[in-house]
Amino acid sequence: MSLNFRASIAEHQATINQLAALEPALLAAVGMMRASFAQGGTIYVCGNGGSAADAQHFAAELTGRFERDRRGYASVALTTDTSALTAIGNDYGFDHIFSRQLESLARKGDVLMAISTSGNSSNVLAAVERAKKMGIGTVGLLGRDGGALAKHVDVSLVVPGARTSRIQEAHIFILHCLCEPYEE
């Protein structure tokens, strides 16, 4: 087993350097979130695996604090309630673990942040479809070519690349950028 640390750094930097093209979509996502917060809305976040961890991280940065003490913003990671996840998964199927929670908790004017490195996670896609029916804005934090989700979300933030690890590193960078406007 060998470690090619310098190659990993170079690959990471190349991925991050591509993100400048996402600035207009990033500003649109911030605007959507800001409008939701202004009317007392909530940001819901979902994803699987590493994206589930990113969903929880993002929700925690909004409700707690990012870098400064400031008021908290309503945000819920739909990945955290194991009772809901297992009950819904058992009763309705894994594809419904996020959409069913969204149906129960969210309201028009809220925002769903859907995270998927492939852009093809069926349970995340089901959540986006439910959100659309409910009048909830949708932001996709995606990878590769954006997959099926890119065509279904209101704002698509696609990190190009083939390696999940590099996409996830860029996703956490983008999520931190989405927190910065709320630091006032």
Side-chain angles (χ1 to χ4, degrees):
M1 183 185 320
S2 67
L3 171 68
N4 196 338
F5 188 58
R6 291 180 190 269
S8 292
I9 290 171
E11 187 179 24
H12 171 83
Q13 289 173 328
T15 301
I16 295 296
N17 286 340
Q18 296 179 74
L19 300 183
L22 298 180
E23 186 176 16
L26 196 64
L27 291 171
V30 167
M32 185 183 295
M33 290 171 52
R34 184 167 285 161
S36 180
F37 288 144
Q39 66 175 19
T42 300
I43 308 302
Y44 292 91
V45 198
C46 67
N48 298 298
S51 297
D54 287 346
Q56 291 168 214
H57 181 115
F58 184 55
E61 299 284 32
L62 291 172
T63 59
R65 65 179 288 221
F66 176 54
E67 292 179 335
R68 296 187 193 145
D69 286 331
R70 45 108 173 119
R71 79 176 190 90
Y73 292 93
S75 184
V76 175
L78 298 174
T79 58
T80 59
D81 186 340
T82 55
S83 295
L85 293 170
T86 57
I88 295 166
N90 184 62
D91 295 347
Y92 297 97
F94 189 72
D95 283 353
H96 303 283
I97 61 171
F98 302 133
S99 61
R100 185 73 176 181
Q101 290 183 79
L102 203 61
E103 178 183 329
S104 301
L105 300 171
R107 64 177 205 255
K108 186 176 182 171
D110 289 339
V111 174
L112 173 67
M113 171 72 67
I115 307 174
S116 174
T117 57
S118 70
N120 293 312
S121 302
S122 57
N123 57 357
V124 177
L125 185 55
V128 168
E129 289 170 354
R130 171 61 60 198
K132 298 296 243 177
K133 289 177 184 172
M134 296 176 65
I136 295 169
T138 56
V139 177
L141 184 54
L142 312 168
R144 295 180 176 76
D145 64 358
L149 281 161
K151 299 175 202 90
H152 293 281
V153 294
D154 298 317
V155 177
S156 184
L157 297 163
V158 179
V159 176
R163 289 194 59 196
T164 299
S165 58
R166 299 291 95 88
I167 293 166
Q168 288 174 329
E169 291 162 4
H171 279 182
I172 200 66
F173 175 80
I174 290 168
L175 291 171
H176 283 161
C177 288
L178 287 170
C179 291
E180 288 176 2
Y182 306 101
E183 287 295 283
E184 294 117 26

